Amino acid sequence: MSDIRTLGEFIVEKQTDFPHASGELSSLLGSIKLAAKIVNREINKAGLVDITGSVGGENIQGEDQQKLDVYANDKFKAALEARDQVCGVASEEEDEAVAFNKELNRNSKYVVLMDPLDGSSNIDVNVSVGTIFSIYQRVSPVGTPPTQEDFLQPGNRQVAAGYIIYGSSTMLVYTTGNGMHGFTYDPSLGVFCLSHENMRIPEDGRIYSINEGNYIRFPMGVKKYIKHCQEDVPEDNRPYTSRYIGSLVADFHRNLLKGGIYMYPSTATHPNGKLRLLYECNPMAFLIEQAGGIASDGKTRIMDLKPTELHQRVPFFVGSTNMVRKVEAFLEEYPEQQ
Ligand code: AHM
Ligand code: MG
């Protein structure tokens, strides 16, 4: 019992480890923790909604049923606004960045970018989904509404990032730039308990994760890399194993623990891939680097890309260092688009 460290305790304990320590970031992470618990509760009863709700789309309390990604967006936004540490958020669910108008919010120095419910197509089939978040200090003056520049900062300026995985258990994983730490939710106590301190990804892995259905549309370098993964070379642990859930957070989490690579490359029909730089790739890139891995667009470090648009997409290769380097080498050797 005395060994249990809760997320709240851990954040306070580590507060002095990062240069921005003032208690505000701790409080901000506390809002994320709270929203995560609320969303977790809702996700866990996803299958029950149709049973307990009435036919007209209302639940048993007479409230409109909302899609879970809209629900998650509302809960995270509300939690972030309530504690006054954030002046605005950008979200996959919002066309434009949202400025919080209360004076206390305007006087705060952080912006949050998030994908409130990533992989939401997996909810209907009871497969893991996640929330991804990224936190920056604003560049516009405190006391004014946040500007576009606050949200379009490169990933290397993140002060914190993390994800929540709603899986066979629910976990919150985060970094403030001093390692990556994971906390497992104990629903009986209602707290996240430290379960994975200083997570590290193996330098080499043998899991590759990609939507192979798009193979024909991949760049030649990616096709060659996939074939490399499938070659029979026992002394190099090949063939590798293929695992793809279709939930970035879940695929990332598994590969982090076991060693592997997740790829969402450009395709002939989607030249920038599918994943969004600001609230999917950058936070995952910050986390993986803290765990000893790397994240790349095939050429450039993800966190060094200069964003130009809120919902900008980017090819994404993330995971064990040697695996990401290998696919980069193939992309350089075979620059053909198909
Ligand atoms: P979403 O934000 O609309 O849920 O899309 C992101 C998701 C990722 O979680 C996942 O890795 C990917 O899309 C799967 O895409 P695909 O079905 O094209 O393989
Ligand atoms: Mg998403």
Side-chain angles (χ1 to χ4, degrees):
M1 182 72 190
S2 57
D3 283 345
I4 294 180
R5 281 153 95 196
T6 67
L7 174 58
E9 286 166 347
F10 190 85
I11 290 171
V12 171
E13 202 178 292
K14 295 282 170 189
Q15 195 167 292
T16 48
D17 278 6
F18 52 87
H20 312 282
S22 62
E24 291 161 273
L25 185 57
S26 304
S27 168
L28 198 172
L29 289 168
S31 341
I32 289 176
K33 179 179 73 176
L34 175 63
K37 290 183 192 177
I38 294 170
V39 171
N40 177 60
R41 189 181 58 193
E42 204 64 18
I43 286 174
N44 279 333
K45 59 184 191 202
L48 287 170
V49 172
D50 286 343
I51 302 170
T52 56
S54 67
V55 185
E58 289 188 342
N59 66 15
I60 207 153
Q61 287 106 28
E63 298 155 338
D64 283 341
Q65 283 171 25
Q66 280 182 312
K67 279 183 68 190
L68 272 170
D69 35 17
V70 176
Y71 180 89
N73 188 51
D74 289 349
K75 294 300 166 194
F76 275 94
K77 248 185 0 186
L80 290 167
E81 186 170 17
R83 289 219 183 150
D84 307 327
Q85 312 301 354
V86 175
C87 59
V89 298
S91 161
E92 184 180 316
E93 296 296 326
E94 310 273 348
D95 292 345
E96 306 287 341
V98 178
F100 295 147
N101 288 322
K102 271 191 303 166
E103 197 183 339
L104 281 171
N105 290 105
R106 248 184 286 132
N107 286 336
S108 59
K109 61 182 181 211
Y110 293 107
V111 293
V112 175
L113 296 96
M114 62 179 179
D115 183 351
L117 206 65
D118 185 62
S120 49
S121 63
N122 274 327
I123 285 190
D124 292 348
V125 290
N126 214 344
V127 169
S128 302
V129 290
T131 296
I132 310 173
F133 61 90
S134 169
I135 302 173
Y136 293 83
Q137 284 208 26
R138 66 190 301 176
V139 288
S140 60
V142 166
T144 61
T147 63
Q148 190 79 340
E149 285 66 47
D150 296 323
F151 295 97
L152 297 184
Q153 300 187 57
N156 55 32
R157 304 200 54 170
Q158 290 173 100
V159 294
Y163 61 81
I164 298 117
I165 175 166
Y166 310 95
S168 41
S169 61
T170 294
M171 277 188 74
L172 189 152
V173 175
Y174 84 99
T175 183
T176 53
N178 278 298
M180 173 183 184
H181 312 291
F183 300 79
T184 303
Y185 186 58
D186 181 336
S188 65
L189 298 175
V191 289
F192 284 96
C193 302
L194 180 63
S195 52
H196 298 67
E197 189 166 5
N198 263 323
M199 300 169 84
R200 305 293 297 171
I201 182 168
E203 269 203 314
D204 272 306
R206 50 179 317 273
I207 298 176
Y208 71 102
S209 309
I210 188 165
N211 186 341
E212 243 168 303
N214 295 326
Y215 183 87
I216 202 75
R217 296 173 172 165
F218 287 151
M220 187 54 77
V222 173
K223 288 179 180 160
K224 294 279 184 192
Y225 179 70
I226 291 173
K227 288 300 157 207
H228 164 86
C229 295
Q230 296 170 346
E231 273 165 14
D232 194 7
V233 188
E235 60 276 20
D236 192 29
N237 273 321
R238 284 184 280 145
Y240 296 157
T241 191
S242 165
R243 292 281 182 275
Y244 189 71
I245 296 171
S247 270
L248 170 63
V249 174
D251 280 309
F252 178 98
H253 189 74
R254 182 205 49 245
N255 292 358
L256 169 77
L257 295 175
K258 300 202 164 192
I261 182 169
Y262 171 97
M263 299 175 274
Y264 211 111
S266 60
T267 69
T269 46
H270 296 88
N272 297 317
K274 175 181 185 188
L275 299 183
R276 270 58 55 116
L277 173 61
L278 287 171
Y279 43 79
E280 291 176 325
C281 304
N282 268 337
M284 292 316 217
F286 190 16
L287 288 160
I288 207 74
E289 288 196 8
Q290 288 296 313
I294 53 176
S296 157
D297 69 354
K299 214 194 234 165
T300 307
R301 179 183 180 227
I302 286 289
M303 289 206 288
D304 287 340
L305 298 172
K306 174 80 190 89
T308 51
E309 283 170 43
L310 213 47
H311 300 288
Q312 182 177 343
R313 295 173 197 267
V314 70
F316 194 45
F317 303 88
V318 64
S320 293
T321 301
N322 293 342
M323 298 179 89
V324 177
R325 291 287 179 238
K326 190 78 186 174
V327 73
E328 282 179 333
F330 274 107
L331 284 162
E332 195 178 344
E333 191 178 347
Y334 300 97
E336 305 89 306
Q337 270 319 299
Q338 293 284 292

